[in-house]
PDB file of all heavy atoms in Angstrom:
ATOM      1  N   PHE A  20     141.641  63.425  23.250  1.00  0.00           N
ATOM      2  CA  PHE A  20     141.178  63.784  24.597  1.00  0.00           C
ATOM      3  C   PHE A  20     140.093  64.856  24.575  1.00  0.00           C
ATOM      4  O   PHE A  20     139.888  65.509  23.558  1.00  0.00           O
ATOM      5  CB  PHE A  20     142.352  64.285  25.436  1.00  0.00           C
ATOM      6  CG  PHE A  20     142.908  65.640  24.950  1.00  0.00           C
ATOM      7  CD1 PHE A  20     142.383  66.814  25.426  1.00  0.00           C
ATOM      8  CD2 PHE A  20     143.905  65.671  23.981  1.00  0.00           C
ATOM      9  CE1 PHE A  20     142.895  68.035  24.990  1.00  0.00           C
ATOM     10  CE2 PHE A  20     144.386  66.879  23.527  1.00  0.00           C
ATOM     11  CZ  PHE A  20     143.889  68.078  24.038  1.00  0.00           C
ATOM     12  N   GLU A  21     139.454  65.049  25.736  1.00  0.00           N
ATOM     13  CA  GLU A  21     138.572  66.169  26.003  1.00  0.00           C
ATOM     14  C   GLU A  21     139.062  66.806  27.294  1.00  0.00           C
ATOM     15  O   GLU A  21     139.469  66.112  28.209  1.00  0.00           O
ATOM     16  CB  GLU A  21     137.122  65.713  26.201  1.00  0.00           C
ATOM     17  CG  GLU A  21     136.478  65.191  24.947  1.00  0.00           C
ATOM     18  CD  GLU A  21     135.049  64.773  25.179  1.00  0.00           C
ATOM     19  OE1 GLU A  21     134.464  65.120  26.234  1.00  0.00           O
ATOM     20  OE2 GLU A  21     134.502  64.065  24.318  1.00  0.00           O
ATOM     21  N   PHE A  22     138.986  68.139  27.354  1.00  0.00           N
ATOM     22  CA  PHE A  22     139.501  68.875  28.511  1.00  0.00           C
ATOM     23  C   PHE A  22     138.623  70.079  28.768  1.00  0.00           C
ATOM     24  O   PHE A  22     138.253  70.795  27.844  1.00  0.00           O
ATOM     25  CB  PHE A  22     140.933  69.324  28.244  1.00  0.00           C
ATOM     26  CG  PHE A  22     141.522  70.127  29.382  1.00  0.00           C
ATOM     27  CD1 PHE A  22     142.045  69.495  30.496  1.00  0.00           C
ATOM     28  CD2 PHE A  22     141.524  71.499  29.321  1.00  0.00           C
ATOM     29  CE1 PHE A  22     142.577  70.239  31.540  1.00  0.00           C
ATOM     30  CE2 PHE A  22     142.068  72.250  30.363  1.00  0.00           C
ATOM     31  CZ  PHE A  22     142.574  71.610  31.459  1.00  0.00           C
ATOM     32  N   HIS A  23     138.296  70.299  30.047  1.00  0.00           N
ATOM     33  CA  HIS A  23     137.575  71.527  30.414  1.00  0.00           C
ATOM     34  C   HIS A  23     137.716  71.820  31.907  1.00  0.00           C
ATOM     35  O   HIS A  23     138.116  70.943  32.665  1.00  0.00           O
ATOM     36  CB  HIS A  23     136.107  71.458  29.987  1.00  0.00           C
ATOM     37  CG  HIS A  23     135.294  70.485  30.817  1.00  0.00           C
ATOM     38  ND1 HIS A  23     135.193  69.167  30.443  1.00  0.00           N
ATOM     39  CD2 HIS A  23     134.546  70.643  31.908  1.00  0.00           C
ATOM     40  CE1 HIS A  23     134.405  68.536  31.313  1.00  0.00           C
ATOM     41  NE2 HIS A  23     134.023  69.414  32.216  1.00  0.00           N
ATOM     42  N   LEU A  24     137.321  73.005  32.257  1.00  0.00           N
ATOM     43  CA  LEU A  24     137.263  73.394  33.672  1.00  0.00           C
ATOM     44  C   LEU A  24     135.856  73.036  34.158  1.00  0.00           C
ATOM     45  O   LEU A  24     134.870  73.585  33.652  1.00  0.00           O
ATOM     46  CB  LEU A  24     137.531  74.870  33.845  1.00  0.00           C
ATOM     47  CG  LEU A  24     137.378  75.447  35.265  1.00  0.00           C
ATOM     48  CD1 LEU A  24     138.324  74.723  36.218  1.00  0.00           C
ATOM     49  CD2 LEU A  24     137.629  76.932  35.288  1.00  0.00           C
ATOM     50  N   ASP A  25     135.762  72.126  35.073  1.00  0.00           N
ATOM     51  CA  ASP A  25     134.477  71.707  35.622  1.00  0.00           C
ATOM     52  C   ASP A  25     133.910  72.804  36.502  1.00  0.00           C
ATOM     53  O   ASP A  25     134.641  73.535  37.138  1.00  0.00           O
ATOM     54  CB  ASP A  25     134.658  70.406  36.393  1.00  0.00           C
ATOM     55  CG  ASP A  25     133.363  69.761  36.797  1.00  0.00           C
ATOM     56  OD1 ASP A  25     132.808  70.137  37.847  1.00  0.00           O
ATOM     57  OD2 ASP A  25     132.899  68.901  36.052  1.00  0.00           O
ATOM     58  N   ASP A  26     132.564  72.887  36.544  1.00  0.00           N
ATOM     59  CA  ASP A  26     131.898  73.879  37.379  1.00  0.00           C
ATOM     60  C   ASP A  26     132.238  73.738  38.865  1.00  0.00           C
ATOM     61  O   ASP A  26     132.100  74.691  39.643  1.00  0.00           O
ATOM     62  CB  ASP A  26     130.378  73.755  37.227  1.00  0.00           C
ATOM     63  CG  ASP A  26     129.927  74.185  35.813  1.00  0.00           C
ATOM     64  OD1 ASP A  26     130.656  74.918  35.148  1.00  0.00           O
ATOM     65  OD2 ASP A  26     128.835  73.729  35.426  1.00  0.00           O
ATOM     66  N   ARG A  27     132.676  72.551  39.272  1.00  0.00           N
ATOM     67  CA  ARG A  27     133.030  72.306  40.686  1.00  0.00           C
ATOM     68  C   ARG A  27     134.416  72.770  41.042  1.00  0.00           C
ATOM     69  O   ARG A  27     134.874  72.567  42.164  1.00  0.00           O
ATOM     70  CB  ARG A  27     132.817  70.816  40.992  1.00  0.00           C
ATOM     71  CG  ARG A  27     131.335  70.440  40.930  1.00  0.00           C
ATOM     72  CD  ARG A  27     131.127  68.947  40.940  1.00  0.00           C
ATOM     73  NE  ARG A  27     131.441  68.456  39.576  1.00  0.00           N
ATOM     74  CZ  ARG A  27     131.205  67.204  39.182  1.00  0.00           C
ATOM     75  NH1 ARG A  27     130.698  66.355  40.020  1.00  0.00           N
ATOM     76  NH2 ARG A  27     131.490  66.854  37.924  1.00  0.00           N
ATOM     77  N   GLY A  28     135.181  73.340  40.090  1.00  0.00           N
ATOM     78  CA  GLY A  28     136.466  73.970  40.400  1.00  0.00           C
ATOM     79  C   GLY A  28     137.674  73.109  40.138  1.00  0.00           C
ATOM     80  O   GLY A  28     138.720  73.370  40.739  1.00  0.00           O
ATOM     81  N   PHE A  29     137.577  72.113  39.285  1.00  0.00           N
ATOM     82  CA  PHE A  29     138.781  71.325  38.933  1.00  0.00           C
ATOM     83  C   PHE A  29     138.804  71.153  37.406  1.00  0.00           C
ATOM     84  O   PHE A  29     137.810  71.321  36.709  1.00  0.00           O
ATOM     85  CB  PHE A  29     138.784  69.976  39.637  1.00  0.00           C
ATOM     86  CG  PHE A  29     137.585  69.111  39.324  1.00  0.00           C
ATOM     87  CD1 PHE A  29     137.573  68.267  38.217  1.00  0.00           C
ATOM     88  CD2 PHE A  29     136.473  69.083  40.153  1.00  0.00           C
ATOM     89  CE1 PHE A  29     136.479  67.476  37.905  1.00  0.00           C
ATOM     90  CE2 PHE A  29     135.361  68.287  39.861  1.00  0.00           C
ATOM     91  CZ  PHE A  29     135.388  67.484  38.750  1.00  0.00           C
ATOM     92  N   TYR A  30     140.011  70.855  36.913  1.00  0.00           N
ATOM     93  CA  TYR A  30     140.172  70.537  35.491  1.00  0.00           C
ATOM     94  C   TYR A  30     139.813  69.078  35.284  1.00  0.00           C
ATOM     95  O   TYR A  30     140.206  68.219  36.083  1.00  0.00           O
ATOM     96  CB  TYR A  30     141.603  70.771  35.042  1.00  0.00           C
ATOM     97  CG  TYR A  30     142.052  72.194  35.048  1.00  0.00           C
ATOM     98  CD1 TYR A  30     143.111  72.608  35.849  1.00  0.00           C
ATOM     99  CD2 TYR A  30     141.432  73.156  34.249  1.00  0.00           C
ATOM    100  CE1 TYR A  30     143.571  73.930  35.834  1.00  0.00           C
ATOM    101  CE2 TYR A  30     141.848  74.483  34.258  1.00  0.00           C
ATOM    102  CZ  TYR A  30     142.927  74.852  35.047  1.00  0.00           C
ATOM    103  OH  TYR A  30     143.352  76.157  35.025  1.00  0.00           O
ATOM    104  N   TYR A  31     139.089  68.810  34.199  1.00  0.00           N
ATOM    105  CA  TYR A  31     138.725  67.441  33.862  1.00  0.00           C
ATOM    106  C   TYR A  31     139.370  67.078  32.535  1.00  0.00           C
ATOM    107  O   TYR A  31     139.180  67.752  31.524  1.00  0.00           O
ATOM    108  CB  TYR A  31     137.202  67.315  33.748  1.00  0.00           C
ATOM    109  CG  TYR A  31     136.724  65.969  33.250  1.00  0.00           C
ATOM    110  CD1 TYR A  31     136.835  64.848  34.068  1.00  0.00           C
ATOM    111  CD2 TYR A  31     136.192  65.826  31.961  1.00  0.00           C
ATOM    112  CE1 TYR A  31     136.398  63.610  33.590  1.00  0.00           C
ATOM    113  CE2 TYR A  31     135.764  64.592  31.517  1.00  0.00           C
ATOM    114  CZ  TYR A  31     135.882  63.477  32.330  1.00  0.00           C
ATOM    115  OH  TYR A  31     135.449  62.257  31.867  1.00  0.00           O
ATOM    116  N   LEU A  32     140.145  66.034  32.515  1.00  0.00           N
ATOM    117  CA  LEU A  32     140.831  65.526  31.332  1.00  0.00           C
ATOM    118  C   LEU A  32     140.390  64.077  31.112  1.00  0.00           C
ATOM    119  O   LEU A  32     140.586  63.248  31.989  1.00  0.00           O
ATOM    120  CB  LEU A  32     142.339  65.604  31.494  1.00  0.00           C
ATOM    121  CG  LEU A  32     143.165  64.922  30.415  1.00  0.00           C
ATOM    122  CD1 LEU A  32     142.959  65.595  29.049  1.00  0.00           C
ATOM    123  CD2 LEU A  32     144.654  64.953  30.777  1.00  0.00           C
ATOM    124  N   ARG A  33     139.747  63.823  29.990  1.00  0.00           N
ATOM    125  CA  ARG A  33     139.341  62.465  29.627  1.00  0.00           C
ATOM    126  C   ARG A  33     140.114  62.032  28.389  1.00  0.00           C
ATOM    127  O   ARG A  33     140.019  62.660  27.329  1.00  0.00           O
ATOM    128  CB  ARG A  33     137.864  62.349  29.339  1.00  0.00           C
ATOM    129  CG  ARG A  33     137.406  60.900  29.105  1.00  0.00           C
ATOM    130  CD  ARG A  33     135.913  60.790  28.865  1.00  0.00           C
ATOM    131  NE  ARG A  33     135.491  61.365  27.619  1.00  0.00           N
ATOM    132  CZ  ARG A  33     135.538  60.761  26.417  1.00  0.00           C
ATOM    133  NH1 ARG A  33     136.023  59.550  26.341  1.00  0.00           N
ATOM    134  NH2 ARG A  33     135.114  61.353  25.335  1.00  0.00           N
ATOM    135  N   LEU A  34     140.911  60.963  28.561  1.00  0.00           N
ATOM    136  CA  LEU A  34     141.624  60.391  27.431  1.00  0.00           C
ATOM    137  C   LEU A  34     140.650  59.510  26.677  1.00  0.00           C
ATOM    138  O   LEU A  34     140.004  58.627  27.275  1.00  0.00           O
ATOM    139  CB  LEU A  34     142.841  59.612  27.915  1.00  0.00           C
ATOM    140  CG  LEU A  34     143.762  60.323  28.879  1.00  0.00           C
ATOM    141  CD1 LEU A  34     144.962  59.434  29.248  1.00  0.00           C
ATOM    142  CD2 LEU A  34     144.242  61.631  28.318  1.00  0.00           C
ATOM    143  N   LYS A  35     140.520  59.724  25.377  1.00  0.00           N
ATOM    144  CA  LYS A  35     139.514  59.004  24.586  1.00  0.00           C
ATOM    145  C   LYS A  35     139.936  57.528  24.376  1.00  0.00           C
ATOM    146  O   LYS A  35     141.133  57.227  24.336  1.00  0.00           O
ATOM    147  CB  LYS A  35     139.308  59.691  23.252  1.00  0.00           C
ATOM    148  CG  LYS A  35     138.582  61.019  23.422  1.00  0.00           C
ATOM    149  CD  LYS A  35     138.267  61.618  22.056  1.00  0.00           C
ATOM    150  CE  LYS A  35     137.525  62.921  22.199  1.00  0.00           C
ATOM    151  NZ  LYS A  35     137.243  63.527  20.892  1.00  0.00           N
ATOM    152  N   GLU A  36     138.919  56.716  24.194  1.00  0.00           N
ATOM    153  CA  GLU A  36     139.133  55.287  24.037  1.00  0.00           C
ATOM    154  C   GLU A  36     140.048  54.969  22.853  1.00  0.00           C
ATOM    155  O   GLU A  36     139.873  55.491  21.755  1.00  0.00           O
ATOM    156  CB  GLU A  36     137.811  54.579  23.815  1.00  0.00           C
ATOM    157  CG  GLU A  36     136.922  54.578  25.040  1.00  0.00           C
ATOM    158  CD  GLU A  36     135.667  53.759  24.905  1.00  0.00           C
ATOM    159  OE1 GLU A  36     135.556  53.030  23.932  1.00  0.00           O
ATOM    160  OE2 GLU A  36     134.802  53.891  25.785  1.00  0.00           O
ATOM    161  N   GLY A  37     141.066  54.137  23.127  1.00  0.00           N
ATOM    162  CA  GLY A  37     141.954  53.658  22.103  1.00  0.00           C
ATOM    163  C   GLY A  37     142.948  54.663  21.557  1.00  0.00           C
ATOM    164  O   GLY A  37     143.670  54.395  20.628  1.00  0.00           O
ATOM    165  N   GLU A  38     143.027  55.845  22.142  1.00  0.00           N
ATOM    166  CA  GLU A  38     143.911  56.889  21.642  1.00  0.00           C
ATOM    167  C   GLU A  38     145.140  57.026  22.523  1.00  0.00           C
ATOM    168  O   GLU A  38     145.134  56.685  23.693  1.00  0.00           O
ATOM    169  CB  GLU A  38     143.155  58.221  21.576  1.00  0.00           C
ATOM    170  CG  GLU A  38     141.977  58.243  20.631  1.00  0.00           C
ATOM    171  CD  GLU A  38     142.379  58.099  19.172  1.00  0.00           C
ATOM    172  OE1 GLU A  38     143.495  58.502  18.812  1.00  0.00           O
ATOM    173  OE2 GLU A  38     141.548  57.592  18.412  1.00  0.00           O
ATOM    174  N   GLU A  39     146.190  57.597  21.920  1.00  0.00           N
ATOM    175  CA  GLU A  39     147.444  57.821  22.674  1.00  0.00           C
ATOM    176  C   GLU A  39     147.540  59.305  23.024  1.00  0.00           C
ATOM    177  O   GLU A  39     147.424  60.173  22.161  1.00  0.00           O
ATOM    178  CB  GLU A  39     148.644  57.432  21.834  1.00  0.00           C
ATOM    179  CG  GLU A  39     149.959  57.647  22.573  1.00  0.00           C
ATOM    180  CD  GLU A  39     151.161  57.258  21.735  1.00  0.00           C
ATOM    181  OE1 GLU A  39     151.424  57.937  20.734  1.00  0.00           O
ATOM    182  OE2 GLU A  39     151.825  56.272  22.113  1.00  0.00           O
ATOM    183  N   PHE A  40     147.791  59.592  24.294  1.00  0.00           N
ATOM    184  CA  PHE A  40     147.985  60.953  24.798  1.00  0.00           C
ATOM    185  C   PHE A  40     149.461  61.263  24.699  1.00  0.00           C
ATOM    186  O   PHE A  40     150.301  60.506  25.168  1.00  0.00           O
ATOM    187  CB  PHE A  40     147.465  61.008  26.259  1.00  0.00           C
ATOM    188  CG  PHE A  40     147.420  62.399  26.804  1.00  0.00           C
ATOM    189  CD1 PHE A  40     146.469  63.284  26.364  1.00  0.00           C
ATOM    190  CD2 PHE A  40     148.312  62.786  27.784  1.00  0.00           C
ATOM    191  CE1 PHE A  40     146.384  64.570  26.904  1.00  0.00           C
ATOM    192  CE2 PHE A  40     148.271  64.071  28.324  1.00  0.00           C
ATOM    193  CZ  PHE A  40     147.292  64.960  27.877  1.00  0.00           C
ATOM    194  N   ASN A  41     149.810  62.417  24.070  1.00  0.00           N
ATOM    195  CA  ASN A  41     151.234  62.672  23.810  1.00  0.00           C
ATOM    196  C   ASN A  41     151.622  64.109  24.201  1.00  0.00           C
ATOM    197  O   ASN A  41     150.777  64.862  24.709  1.00  0.00           O
ATOM    198  CB  ASN A  41     151.522  62.417  22.333  1.00  0.00           C
ATOM    199  CG  ASN A  41     150.640  63.223  21.422  1.00  0.00           C
ATOM    200  OD1 ASN A  41     150.528  64.437  21.568  1.00  0.00           O
ATOM    201  ND2 ASN A  41     150.001  62.574  20.440  1.00  0.00           N
TER     202      ASN A  41
END
Side-chain angles (χ1 to χ4, degrees):
F20 67 90
E21 290 181 15
F22 177 81
H23 69 272
L24 176 59
D25 191 274
D26 293 338
R27 293 167 282 189
F29 60 86
Y30 293 119
Y31 174 72
L32 172 62
R33 184 177 69 83
L34 309 183
K35 291 186 177 178
E36 292 186 11
E38 297 294 332
E39 181 181 68
F40 189 71
N41 57 50

